[in-house]
Amino acid sequence: MFVILVYDTAVERNPKVLKTCRKYLHWTQRSVFQGELSAAQYRALMAALGTVIDPEYDSIVTYTARSPEMVESATLGVALGGPGDIL
Amino acid sequence: MFVILVYDTAVERNPKVLKTCRKYLHWTQRSVFQGELSAAQYRALMAALGTVIDPEYDSIVTYTARSPEMVESATLGVALGGPGDIL
């Protein structure tokens, strides 16, 4: 599946969140990762993040699609990381 | 189409970026908006953002899918705004 992950976590937990996300996904922009994962990898990533974040304070949103072809990405301005067509 | 928009813009331009995004989309998380737009609305949003951001410094990434049914969203931790199933 194609996964877009956006995190909004406290500064002191960002390094662990980043390290965990980087194991599974590519960095796209300041607080965004994306990549292709199996369902098992997705569950493993969510479980790992669950041990890293404070669920009372932090927030991680994922968007998943069955395949990357179902989602088009585009960038306006600076293309920071990862793929994406420049508008 | 279903649109996810993530912005990474300089603090001084954030208010204008937020105001522009709010005209078209729902706020989901710190730097994320989502919503359903027509192709014309999407182009209008991108054009409006193009006049607001500094393309040498700021970055806006969008992910679009033909319909919201093609994308599943999930939240780990705090659900800040907008829809999304709690894991």
Side-chain angles (χ1 to χ4, degrees):
Chain A
M1 61 173 80
F2 180 64
V3 178
I4 301 157
L5 182 150
V6 189
Y7 64 89
D8 185 355
T9 52
V11 172
E12 65 268 27
R13 285 184 291 277
N14 279 347
K16 280 194 172 181
V17 170
L18 287 170
K19 194 180 167 192
T20 304
C21 289
R22 279 203 202 97
K23 282 186 194 166
Y24 294 87
L25 300 167
H26 309 287
W27 180 72
T28 305
Q29 204 202 43
R30 191 175 47 172
S31 55
V32 188
F33 283 84
Q34 69 181 49
E36 280 195 71
L37 297 180
S38 68
Q41 286 172 320
Y42 176 77
R43 284 194 300 270
L45 171 58
M46 290 296 106
L49 287 171
T51 67
V52 165
I53 69 165
D54 176 347
E56 304 287 312
Y57 183 88
D58 301 327
S59 178
I60 287 169
V61 176
T62 64
Y63 298 94
T64 54
R66 265 180 299 159
S67 81
E69 292 76 38
M70 296 169 86
V71 179
E72 272 187 49
S73 75
T75 302
L76 189 68
V78 185
L80 294 173
D85 303 324
I86 310 296
L87 281 182
Chain B
M1 62 172 77
F2 180 64
V3 179
I4 300 157
L5 183 150
V6 189
Y7 65 90
D8 184 354
T9 52
V11 172
E12 64 267 26
R13 285 184 292 278
N14 279 348
K16 279 195 173 181
V17 170
L18 288 171
K19 195 179 167 191
T20 304
C21 289
R22 279 204 202 96
K23 282 186 195 167
Y24 293 89
L25 299 168
H26 309 287
W27 180 72
T28 305
Q29 203 201 44
R30 189 176 47 173
S31 54
V32 188
F33 283 84
Q34 68 182 51
E36 280 195 72
L37 297 180
S38 68
Q41 285 172 320
Y42 176 77
R43 285 194 300 271
L45 170 58
M46 290 296 104
L49 287 171
T51 67
V52 165
I53 69 165
D54 176 348
E56 303 286 313
Y57 182 88
D58 301 327
S59 177
I60 286 170
V61 176
T62 63
Y63 298 93
T64 54
R66 265 180 297 158
S67 80
E69 291 77 37
M70 297 170 85
V71 179
E72 271 187 52
S73 76
T75 302
L76 189 67
V78 185
L80 294 173
D85 302 324
I86 311 297
L87 283 182

